[in-house]
């Protein structure tokens, strides 16, 4: 589905919203260790972008990656099982929140190194197209990543070799506690311009607008155009990471957070549906997530004897560390 | 009998694998004109689609190769300078190497990183003379350091066919070696070879130092019977092959072009003494701790493991115990 689909878009933002709320509860309950980087408030970006992609298209996500993985079509139950470190998880409990991947739906992984995934996705899309597959890609990154040299190198490679990758900058105003004004000389769009890449700014709180802008860019890319950049202006409603629930960091004025929360992508998209349709989606999402939590918590923890499984695709086995 | 140079053996391996497998392609800096003398003739044979000259963006093109591998290709990257591996250590270790485990086995990353001219290239000074193979063994990335033309061919072929990332160090000190080579064949990863049988002491030599070890063994013939073991692959290491040799000789000397602390020589010695009761304390000849190769040729040589040091180490080890 790449045309307008208000119900589908609403389902995705609502799913991500409720998934994250459930995940935070599981962090609090000690079922998810290490915490998460909640995607709350930014749901419209992942939902809008992925709604304009096809199943075969490829994406990479970030440390704040649950939304990207879910929006591209991963099973929420296996995703949640992954966060809980179960063998039934997408990555068999080997990846966790920051590395969740589902190659089957074109998610080549969330990636915990800021700015690292753009080049990986560029190579993947290039290789698939070289084989004759009609795919494009979208790589998500934050405003913090636009100061990483390796991402700027990836802009150059993709533009130079005209690889159809949509560089999606989720500008939520902060890199952890660093405000974007304190970190970005010039502009984010200006970085695209430097490589001859078209750049479009969009209201990231409006899922439909994000979908439209993405669909237009993807259409140009499929018609032979090179990479493009979309700067989605958004806001994270919650903590940088759930550790902030315990340790208060003083960097965002409470009024700013309160004002930003008024522009809620779930409410904005929800308002486009008749009340009954919305209620039906809500009920469906609740049922999906209730089943997902059950599935996640019922999954067995991995056997510690298998800790080094999958280290080598070639079948090589590593020496263990014992004496 | 045809004389084959080490460099040409690498060329042959690339050409043969590109012919055999469409998914193999090359990328790197100035490789179309074969500035390093390794990719000679490949542009003409395989075309620009499979021989990609990259901009000077090592981090991006290294991860580009990771992505291409995730999508089913088998990229081979040629690096112009061994020290560039420091620049892309993050991309290799944190991404290419970790993806299979982190994804729970959803993918493979078959990328080959080829470093022609690793180690000292006399006169190239501090930033062009590193030999960082121990770093890759440490992180568990398959690492090969061929010493001979036949192994350069056979190990590069196996590296390209391997489903994991592999770093291939082609030492500057071995690039001009020529050998009579009758048949070229893949050499299995992780399998060492006894280059010269001997009874009194096992000398493990890495890469170009194999030739030094063989020369020293010849000089000492009559005094000491030296067995020279060439591991060929540093990770995974052929422990069985080495232990077999050391169990016979009872003595061990390692010559390794790494800096001393945490270099592969330390690992080789540690593993052997964990498993074999030696007749004398083992010794190693390495670069000094924290080595930066100075420019002036005499200084450059002074910092590299030399034949005199190796001779002395062998003699001491054989006197002890
Ligand atoms: C290369 C790198 N540097 C630092 C970090 C630690 N870190 C994790 S998230 C983050 C902030 C990223 O900010 P941004 O890109 O704006 O994404 P956001 O967290 O706002 O979604 C930092 C500094 C990292 N993971 N990778
Ligand atoms: Mg940010």
């Amino acid at each position: 589905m790449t045309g307008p689909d208000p119900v589908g878009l609403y389902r995705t933002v609502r799913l991500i919203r409720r998934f994250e709320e459930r995940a935070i509860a599981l962090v609090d309950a000690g079922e998810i260790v290490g915490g998460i980087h909640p995607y709350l408030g930014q749901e419209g970006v992942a939902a809008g972008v992925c709604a304009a992609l096809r199943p075969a298209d490829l994406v990479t996500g970030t440390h704040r990656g649950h939304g990207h993985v879910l929006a591209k079509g991963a099973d929420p139950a296996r995703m949640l099982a992954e966060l809980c470190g179960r063998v039934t998880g997408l990555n068999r409990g080997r990846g966790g929140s920051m590395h969740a991947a589902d190659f089957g739906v074109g998610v080549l992984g969330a990636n915990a190194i800021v700015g690292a995934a753009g080049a990986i996705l560029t190579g993947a899309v290039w290789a698939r197209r070289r084989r004759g597959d009609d795919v494009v890609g979208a790589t998500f990154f934050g405003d913090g990543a636009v100061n990483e040299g390796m991402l700027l190198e990836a802009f150059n490679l993709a533009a130079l070799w005209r690889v159809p990758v949509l560089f999606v900058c989720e500008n939520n105003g902060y890199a952890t506690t660093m405000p974007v004004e304190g970190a970005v000389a010039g502009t984010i769009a200006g970085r695209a311009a430097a490589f001859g890449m078209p750049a479009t700014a969009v209201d990231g709180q409006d899922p439909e607008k994000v979908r439209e802008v993405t669909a237009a860019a993807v259409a140009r890319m499929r018609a032979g155009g090179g990479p493009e950049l979309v700067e989605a202006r958004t806001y994270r409603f919650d903590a940088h990471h759930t550790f902030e629930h315990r340790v208060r960091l003083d960097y965002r004025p409470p009024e700013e957070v309160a004002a930003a929360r008024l522009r809620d992508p779930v409410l904005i998209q929800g308002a486009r549906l008749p009340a009954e349709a919305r209620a039906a989606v809500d009920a469906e999402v609740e049922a999906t997530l209730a089943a997902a939590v059950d599935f996640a918590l019922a999954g067995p923890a991995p056997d510690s004897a298998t800790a080094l499984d999958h280290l080598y695709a070639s079948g090589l086995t590593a020496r263990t560390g014992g004496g | 009998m045809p004389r084959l140079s080490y460099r040409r053996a690498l060329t042959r391996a690339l050409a043969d694998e590109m012919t055999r497998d469409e998914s193999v392609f090359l990328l790197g800096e100035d490789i179309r004109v074969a500035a390093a003398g390794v990719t000679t003739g490949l542009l003409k044979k395989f075309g620009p689609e499979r021989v990609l000259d990259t901009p000077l963006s090592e981090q991006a093109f290294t991860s580009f190769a990771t992505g291409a591998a995730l999508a089913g290709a088998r990229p081979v990257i040629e690096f112009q300078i061994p020290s560039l591996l420091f620049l892309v250590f993050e991309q290799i270790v944190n991404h290419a190497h970790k993806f299979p485990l982190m994804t729970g086995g959803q993918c493979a990353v078959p990328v080959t990183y080829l470093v022609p001219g690793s180690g000292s290239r006399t006169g190239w000074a501090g930033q062009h003379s590193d030999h960082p193979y121990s770093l890759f063994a440490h992180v568990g990335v398959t690492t090969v350091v061929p010493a001979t033309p036949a192994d350069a061919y056979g190990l590069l072929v196996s590296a390209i066919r391997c489903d994991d990332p592999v770093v291939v160090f082609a030492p500057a000190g071995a690039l001009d070696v020529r050998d009579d080579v009758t048949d070229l064949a893949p050499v299995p990863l992780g399998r060492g070879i006894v280059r010269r049988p001997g009874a009194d002491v096992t000398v493990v030599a890495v890469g170009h130092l194999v030739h030094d070890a063989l020369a020293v063994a010849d000089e000492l013939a009559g005094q000491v019977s030296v067995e020279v073991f060439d591991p060929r692959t540093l990770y995974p290491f052929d422990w069985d092959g080495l232990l077999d040799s050391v169990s016979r000789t009872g003595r061990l000397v390692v010559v390794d072009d790494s800096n001393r602390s945490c270099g592969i020589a330390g690992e080789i010695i540690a593993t052997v003494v964990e498993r074999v009761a030696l007749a004398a304390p083992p010794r190693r000849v390495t670069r000094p701790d924290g080595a930066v190769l100075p420019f002036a040729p005499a200084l450059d040589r002074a910092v590299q493991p030399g034949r005199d040091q190796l001779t002395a180490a062998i003699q001491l080890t054989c006197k002890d115990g």
Side-chain angles (χ1 to χ4, degrees):
Chain A
M1 170 60 71
T2 55
D5 175 18
V7 176
L9 259 187
Y10 178 68
R11 185 184 298 114
T12 308
V13 289
R14 176 82 187 180
L15 175 74
I16 300 171
R17 168 66 49 91
R18 295 292 294 139
F19 182 96
E20 291 295 69
E21 289 171 350
R22 295 266 193 173
I24 290 169
L26 289 168
V27 170
D28 293 341
E31 294 289 352
I32 295 176
V33 297
I36 63 167
H37 297 84
Y39 197 61
L40 297 171
Q42 301 182 204
E43 297 91 340
V45 184
V49 167
C50 292
L53 299 176
R54 296 177 186 162
D57 293 333
L58 304 176
V59 307
T60 54
T62 67
H63 56 286
R64 198 176 304 292
H66 305 173
H68 313 131
V69 179
L70 291 171
K72 190 63 176 53
D75 173 4
R78 293 191 59 216
M79 176 72 180
L80 204 53
E82 185 57 35
L83 304 193
C84 294
R86 308 304 170 105
V87 285
T88 44
L90 290 173
N91 306 31
R92 300 185 164 95
R94 269 73 178 170
S97 167
M98 287 191 282
H99 306 301
D102 188 348
F103 279 56
V105 298
V107 179
L108 305 188
N111 200 310
I113 300 302
V114 171
I120 295 174
L121 187 75
T122 302
V125 171
W126 177 88
R128 289 286 300 278
R129 293 180 68 86
R130 186 166 165 269
R131 269 190 356 205
D133 299 343
D134 175 25
V135 301
V136 302
T139 181
F140 296 90
F141 53 89
D143 47 282
V146 303
N147 300 317
E148 291 287 359
M150 58 185 155
L151 181 64
L152 300 176
E153 287 185 11
F155 284 8
N156 186 58
L157 270 197
L160 189 70
W161 292 342
R162 297 185 68 74
V163 186
V165 168
L166 190 65
F167 290 96
V168 183
C169 179
E170 299 190 72
N171 180 358
N172 61 7
Y174 295 86
T176 315
T177 67
M178 169 62 86
V180 69
E181 306 78 43
V184 177
T187 62
I188 292 171
R191 283 164 171 54
F195 301 100
M197 270 202 287
T200 316
V202 64
D203 175 6
Q205 301 313 93
D206 186 334
E208 182 52 39
K209 287 227 176 83
V210 175
R211 189 203 61 78
E212 266 172 41
V213 160
T214 306
V218 165
R220 287 189 292 271
M221 295 197 304
R222 285 199 207 282
E228 300 200 14
L229 182 139
V230 168
E231 178 188 351
R233 305 237 166 94
T234 184
Y235 200 84
R236 84 175 137 70
F237 287 180
D238 197 348
H240 168 68
H241 180 273
T242 46
F243 78 75
E244 253 189 87
H245 292 170
R246 288 178 276 111
V247 184
R248 250 191 66 79
L249 302 176
D250 184 20
Y251 61 97
R252 300 197 299 189
E255 316 79 65
E256 178 187 297
V257 180
R261 280 178 156 277
L262 297 176
R263 302 214 57 250
D264 183 325
V266 179
L267 299 182
I268 289 172
Q269 189 61 25
R272 295 181 176 136
L273 269 56
E276 322 77 79
R278 199 167 56 232
V281 170
D282 291 354
E284 181 195 324
V285 166
E286 291 316 302
T288 301
L289 290 176
V293 172
D294 289 347
F295 175 84
L297 295 181
D303 176 353
S304 57
T306 67
L308 290 180
D309 281 11
H310 314 295
L311 179 56
Y312 297 105
S314 62
L316 176 64
T317 51
R319 289 193 291 172
T320 54
Chain B
M1 211 181 279
R3 299 276 287 174
L4 182 68
S5 78
Y6 190 113
R7 216 184 281 268
R8 233 13 95 225
L10 295 173
T11 313
R12 286 277 292 276
L14 295 173
D16 286 358
E17 288 310 289
M18 290 174 83
T19 303
R20 199 183 62 80
D21 182 350
E22 272 286 310
S23 70
V24 178
F25 72 96
L26 312 181
L27 69 167
E29 293 160 359
D30 310 298
I31 63 172
R32 284 184 177 160
V33 299
V38 168
T39 50
T40 314
L42 300 181
L43 173 65
K44 191 149 171 254
K45 195 154 183 211
F46 298 102
E49 282 283 294
R50 296 181 71 193
V51 183
L52 269 64
D53 264 348
T54 60
L56 310 188
S57 303
E58 293 79 12
Q59 299 189 324
F61 69 63
T62 299
S63 276
F64 178 94
T66 301
L70 292 176
R74 284 186 184 269
V76 180
I77 306 180
E78 183 193 285
F79 288 98
Q80 244 173 23
I81 312 171
S83 319
L84 296 179
L85 292 173
F86 299 140
L87 197 60
V88 301
F89 200 57
E90 199 278 325
Q91 284 71 20
I92 297 176
V93 176
N94 232 356
H95 303 275
H97 170 60
K98 292 184 181 174
F99 260 58
L101 184 139
M102 292 197 307
T103 61
Q106 292 183 60
C107 62
V109 187
V111 182
T112 303
Y113 313 96
L114 174 62
V115 193
S118 58
S120 168
R121 322 174 183 181
T122 313
W124 284 76
Q127 293 176 333
H128 282 67
S129 305
D130 292 297
H131 222 160
Y133 46 72
S134 296
L135 283 181
F136 291 92
H138 174 71
V139 295
V141 171
T142 296
T143 303
V144 302
V145 194
T148 66
D151 279 357
Y153 176 89
L155 288 168
L156 180 53
V157 164
S158 296
I160 295 170
R161 294 183 191 177
C162 179
D163 281 339
D164 287 317
V166 181
V167 189
V168 179
F169 288 88
L175 276 183
D176 294 320
V177 172
R178 288 171 176 276
D179 262 347
D180 297 329
V181 178
T182 38
D183 55 345
L184 289 169
V187 171
L189 301 172
R191 195 87 53 83
I193 189 170
V194 173
R195 292 276 174 210
R196 178 191 208 281
D200 299 333
V201 57
T202 299
V203 170
V204 179
V206 176
H208 61 297
L209 296 172
V210 167
H211 304 289
D212 294 299
L214 290 170
V216 167
D218 277 348
E219 281 164 23
L220 290 177
Q223 269 181 65
V224 186
S225 168
V226 176
E227 175 145 313
V228 176
F229 182 82
D230 172 2
R232 307 196 282 194
T233 303
L234 298 184
Y235 188 90
F237 198 95
D238 183 1
W239 298 120
D240 290 343
L242 176 58
L243 289 167
D244 178 65
S245 168
V246 179
S247 305
R248 281 186 282 101
T249 63
R251 293 172 206 266
L252 174 66
V253 173
V254 185
V255 56
D256 160 27
D257 197 24
S258 299
N259 295 354
R260 200 164 183 87
S261 290
C262 301
I264 194 74
E267 181 56 37
I268 292 169
I269 288 173
T271 300
V272 169
V273 301
E274 279 171 347
R275 308 266 289 273
V276 180
L278 293 172
R283 292 182 183 270
R284 58 185 152 152
V285 178
T286 65
R287 291 189 182 191
D289 271 347
V292 177
L293 262 60
F295 165 67
L299 302 180
D300 173 312
R301 270 194 307 279
V303 174
Q304 294 179 65
R307 292 185 185 184
D308 292 348
Q309 291 170 305
L310 179 58
T311 304
I314 293 170
Q315 284 169 335
L316 282 172
T317 301
C318 290
K319 209 183 305 155
D320 291 343

